[in-house]
Amino acid sequence: QLDLNDNALTGTISTSIGNLQYLQFVQLEVNQLTGTIPESMGNIQYLQVLELFGNQLSGTMPVGVCQNRDMANGFISHLTVDCDSSDNPRVECSIPDCCTDCPF
């Protein structure tokens, strides 16, 4: 479990996070993270919760993460990012039902 929410973290999410294949919970919400969500996050096969809202992330949710969100074959049951149309910047969830919640 990686729970670093509300820590005023800055910078980007390291691509090496994808090396943590057995990680189940990633909670990085309400920090000051920027950039895009690394494609390597799709390598975290057992991820169940991914909470990234309340940051300054942008771009598109990686396809690998959305594939792990697949209810039939994947594990992620809760995926929250700044994806509401009023969020600026925001993360695009181009695959239907990939993001489960777009708060704020």
Side-chain angles (χ1 to χ4, degrees):
Q1 179 171 339
L2 180 62
D3 186 350
L4 296 172
N5 56 315
D6 289 310
N7 278 294
L9 298 176
T10 59
T12 60
I13 301 171
S14 173
T15 58
S16 62
I17 195 166
N19 296 332
L20 305 172
Q21 296 178 28
Y22 298 102
L23 196 60
Q24 294 180 351
F25 297 88
V26 175
Q27 296 168 290
L28 298 173
E29 72 268 18
V30 192
N31 283 292
Q32 298 166 16
L33 298 171
T34 58
T36 59
I37 299 167
E39 292 286 334
S40 64
M41 288 198 91
N43 298 335
I44 308 174
Q45 300 174 14
Y46 299 100
L47 190 61
Q48 296 175 22
V49 173
L50 177 58
E51 294 184 337
L52 301 173
F53 67 90
N55 287 288
Q56 297 296 310
L57 298 169
S58 60
T60 303
M61 182 62 65
V63 172
V65 172
C66 291
Q67 288 173 339
N68 286 341
R69 172 80 179 95
D70 179 339
M71 296 307 287
N73 302 309
F75 286 91
I76 300 175
S77 61
H78 189 80
L79 194 162
T80 309
V81 295
D82 295 312
C83 54
D84 188 74
S85 61
S86 65
D87 291 325
N88 186 21
R90 75 172 185 245
V91 174
E92 297 289 333
C93 292
S94 57
I95 296 177
D97 299 325
C98 179
C99 298
T100 59
D101 194 11
C102 301
F104 299 104

